[in-house]
Amino acid sequence: MTSTGNVFRSGAIVGGVLLLAGCSGGGGGTAAPSPAVTPSASATPYGTTLAQVLEPISTGLGKVAAATTTSEVTSALATVESSADRAARNLNAGSAPAGADAARTELVNGLNSLSSEALSIRVELNDKKLCAVGVVQAELGAAQGLVAVPAALAELATAGYPAAFTVPELPKPQPQPRTLENGAVVRDGGNGGKGTLKFNNNGSADAVFTLATDGKAVASAYAAKGQAATIDGVKDGSYEIYYTTGVDWDSEAKQFTRDCRFVKVGDTHEFEPGGGGTIWTIKMRAEDGKGNAKTESRTVNSAPQP
């Protein structure tokens, strides 16, 4: 007599691939139903992957918005730059779920754009093409990457893969450069003396010139390009003379926000008692922007605020 045996097969999940288990009877019996296919326990949902790579960028953007000094905003821009670059590389190296590949590509492109724009803004800040925190924040707020990334994430959310990405409120760019009237007082030093400081601005940009003692501004005035201005009533004493040139004068911050340059004129200038008072004249030459005394360039951190 020939006996009929059953052949048993076992199943296991190996390396994320489900190996099916079943029992088949000898002699042409009907195969048992296969067990339900379930996702690997080690798989990370794509929405979670997106959230993980985007979170450092949101943190960096928040730091840009909260910055109050150029050093703080420089550090925050570096965070945005490196985080966006890393996120783009990580997403590009992985695979996207079905139906999400095109949106993933748009997201990677947007992240690359954001990283490049953050780097460009940081370089312009270092080169003093951008000079104030507010204008740096506005430049980043207008970045194309901050339009492209949310747009791509909206497509991914529609496809079933939502992820949080926070873009803080940032200042809007100024519609046109701000200026003051020629001769406008920036810092009033009073009229207790007889001395006079004349400033002839023959340069290609507006300027603010300053009298200072011990590195602190005493009096400042605005000189429009191509015009002359004066500070009258200077008290007797020894003063340092500085001037700054640039574009877009922020009266609240008391600085030019773009293309700024800070110069110290000579060492000290004496305003002596007697007679009608001492008169000093500083002439900026159009070809190099320097005055009629030996000049010493100063960094933004070492020049006194007007």
Side-chain angles (χ1 to χ4, degrees):
M1 180 177 68
T2 302
S3 63
T4 301
N6 289 331
V7 179
F8 294 92
R9 299 185 180 92
S10 62
I13 296 177
V14 180
V17 179
L18 182 66
L19 305 180
L20 302 181
C23 171
S24 62
T30 302
S34 299
V37 178
T38 57
S40 167
S42 62
T44 301
Y46 198 61
T48 301
T49 297
L50 292 173
Q52 289 172 344
V53 299
L54 293 172
E55 192 275 334
I57 308 173
S58 295
T59 298
L61 290 171
K63 290 181 178 179
V64 170
T68 57
T69 66
T70 53
S71 59
E72 288 176 352
V73 80
T74 296
S75 176
L77 285 170
T79 297
V80 173
E81 174 198 339
S82 60
S83 298
D85 175 68
R86 183 165 53 251
R89 288 187 285 107
N90 288 343
L91 291 175
N92 202 41
S95 58
D101 192 61
R104 187 275 306 268
T105 298
E106 290 181 17
L107 177 58
V108 169
N109 291 340
L111 290 168
N112 282 327
S113 176
L114 178 59
S115 178
S116 296
E117 287 169 299
L119 171 60
S120 177
I121 294 169
R122 190 159 60 90
V123 169
E124 289 187 329
L125 179 59
N126 183 69
D127 293 343
K128 295 186 175 59
K129 293 181 179 179
L130 301 175
C131 311
V133 172
V135 74
V136 169
Q137 294 167 332
E139 286 289 312
L140 185 63
Q144 181 58 37
L146 289 185
V147 175
V149 169
L153 288 174
E155 293 185 25
L156 286 165
T158 300
Y161 308 102
F165 180 66
T166 304
V167 179
E169 184 174 354
L170 295 167
K172 303 297 182 184
Q174 289 294 324
Q176 59 186 13
R178 295 162 288 182
T179 63
L180 295 179
E181 293 292 330
N182 183 63
V185 174
V186 175
R187 182 182 293 274
D188 190 353
N191 294 300
K194 297 181 179 180
T196 298
L197 174 62
K198 295 182 177 180
F199 189 87
N200 293 333
N201 183 1
N202 296 320
S204 59
D206 288 359
V208 170
F209 59 106
T210 299
L211 281 169
T213 57
D214 299 324
K216 294 183 179 180
V218 174
S220 303
Y222 197 92
K225 60 183 178 181
Q227 299 189 53
T230 63
I231 295 175
D232 295 313
V234 180
K235 295 179 181 179
D236 300 339
S238 180
Y239 295 88
E240 301 150 353
I241 298 175
Y242 297 84
Y243 64 84
T244 176
T245 62
V247 177
D248 185 40
W249 178 256
D250 185 337
S251 292
E252 183 176 351
K254 289 192 172 183
Q255 67 180 120
F256 289 107
T257 69
R258 298 176 182 272
D259 298 325
C260 55
R261 178 169 178 257
F262 294 83
V263 174
K264 180 183 179 184
V265 181
D267 295 319
T268 58
H269 296 74
E270 299 293 333
F271 286 79
E272 299 175 350
T278 303
I279 299 176
W280 279 98
T281 301
I282 305 300
K283 297 179 180 179
M284 275 180 59
R285 296 193 300 271
E287 64 270 18
D288 61 9
K290 295 183 178 180
N292 63 345
K294 179 182 178 182
T295 58
E296 175 189 344
S297 295
R298 302 294 298 267
T299 66
V300 63
N301 292 326
S302 62
Q305 185 183 45

